[in-house]
Amino acid sequence: MFPVSDIRDLGRHEADGAAVRGWVQTTRVHGRVAFVVVRDGTGIVQCVVVQKEVSPDLWQLVQELTLECSVIVAGAVRADARAPGGFEMSVQQLTLVGASEDYPIQPKEHGVDFLLDHRHLWLRSSQQRAIMRVRSEVEQAIHDFFHQRNFVRIDTPILTGSIGEGGAGLFPVDYFEEQAYLAQTGQLYGEAAAAAFGRIYCFGPTFRAEKSKTRRHLTEFWMVEPEVAWNDSEDNIRLQEDFVSYIVERALERCRDELETLERDIAPLERVKPPFPRLDYSEAIRILQEKGHEIKWGDDLGAPDETVLAEGFDRPVFIVNYPKEAKAFYMKENPDDPRTVLCDDLLAPEGYGEIIGGSQREDDHDRLLARIREQGLPEESYTWYLELRKYGTFPHSGFGLGLERTVAWITGRPHIREMIPFPRMLNRLYP
Ligand code: NSS
């Protein structure tokens, strides 16, 4: 019996041999020798079958192996720098566990709709695996960053009664006799928890009924949202710089192979260090108008505007203090210019656009109530949120970073639909 090993750990089994369990990636038969490359998620190994060293049944079985069938292969192991994966196995035993006839994804170009329809299989391909590993590392980096800084992780509800970001883009859900919505954000609950713990973050799926098809919008995406008591807008911006720099550094440190598989030029990522430049919203509008964009003071920035603004910088750039009417009801008025709010959007370089939205929160009860009314939001559902301003109100700030947009930027891929294992978009609910 050979000991079972992850492919990654085959180096420990050069003396005793090993069994690996995985999926067949390629097979080549050269006369009396066959080469089978097996993948198990931890690595790949080239398995060599020599006809005269195995039984006729086993040799026959090798001829029948097809793309993505699952197998258990066992034999002697030796390091071989020329072999894909760095190891070669001399096969002595082979079991076909699951056949794979007419695997839909072949080593050729497929259209993206075809690939998305087969997402359950597409995930096995090398580039998609590299992306998911970067995503996983970024998620871990997010937890580590906040854990190191003594934040408490708070899990906020997905079924909510109070609208988080405004009326547009809501997914309504029948909740017995009441109207519920899928959460657009965990922020409002995070604010409540900040009064209990000082520093908190939530990290989970959020939902927006985005009816447009763009490369930057999903209907279900993951967002990490820290909320910090006593932080003003300045502190909030500094936290964002540190946070984004930490995540990028971690990806560079621990995902070299993946970024290489994705052919990501890492030089621009290596420049991501605090401080990041800042542009006042009004200044941004002036720049855009000079460049001939049809935009006026008061408008929100569109994707092409963001791309142009970010072009002038070699690292992420903050746009700060947007007009009130372009932003959510909970943002605090800017005392220096009451037409604007104390907020920031962080734009990633290289055309990736907004990855963070953050702000200082309105902590005055009456002003907050006025904003809720102005925006025509259902006042009754914010009773609890307003109470946070009645019982020990406190200055506080926070932000939300979109995971998929961040991973798209780090991996250098154009579309965020590849950044989540099973994307949800307009017209896509399967697989
Ligand atoms: O709407 S945001 O700008 N801000 C919030 O939701 C606040 N409640 C966050 C906070 O202060 N706690 O969204 C934040 C980020 C945004 O910058 C994007 O990176 C991402 O969430 N985002 C999205 N990613 C993918 N698809 C869609 N539809 C999407 N919408 C926002």
Side-chain angles (χ1 to χ4, degrees), residues 165 184-185 187 208 210 216-218 221 223 225 227 330 354-359 361 398-402 405 416:
E165 287 296 322
Q184 294 173 310
T185 170
Q187 178 194 321
R208 300 200 186 167
E210 308 279 5
R216 304 205 293 189
H217 290 90
L218 297 166
F221 63 97
M223 181 158 52
E225 298 180 88
E227 192 69 36
Y330 51 71
E354 182 199 324
I355 54 170
I356 287 184
S359 64
R361 319 306 190 186
F399 63 87
L401 170 132
R405 289 193 191 174
I416 67 171

Side-chain angles (χ1 to χ4, degrees), residues 21-41:
R21 304 174 289 197
W23 292 263
V24 169
Q25 222 171 259
T26 58
T27 56
R28 277 184 300 133
V29 182
H30 278 306
R32 294 164 193 282
V33 186
F35 300 91
V36 182
V37 175
V38 174
R39 176 195 81 245
D40 75 348

Side-chain angles (χ1 to χ4, degrees), residues 191-212:
E191 289 183 55
F197 299 101
R199 296 179 206 162
I200 67 91
Y201 74 106
C202 61
F203 189 12
T206 46
F207 305 87
R208 300 200 186 167
E210 308 279 5
K211 292 230 174 77
S212 56

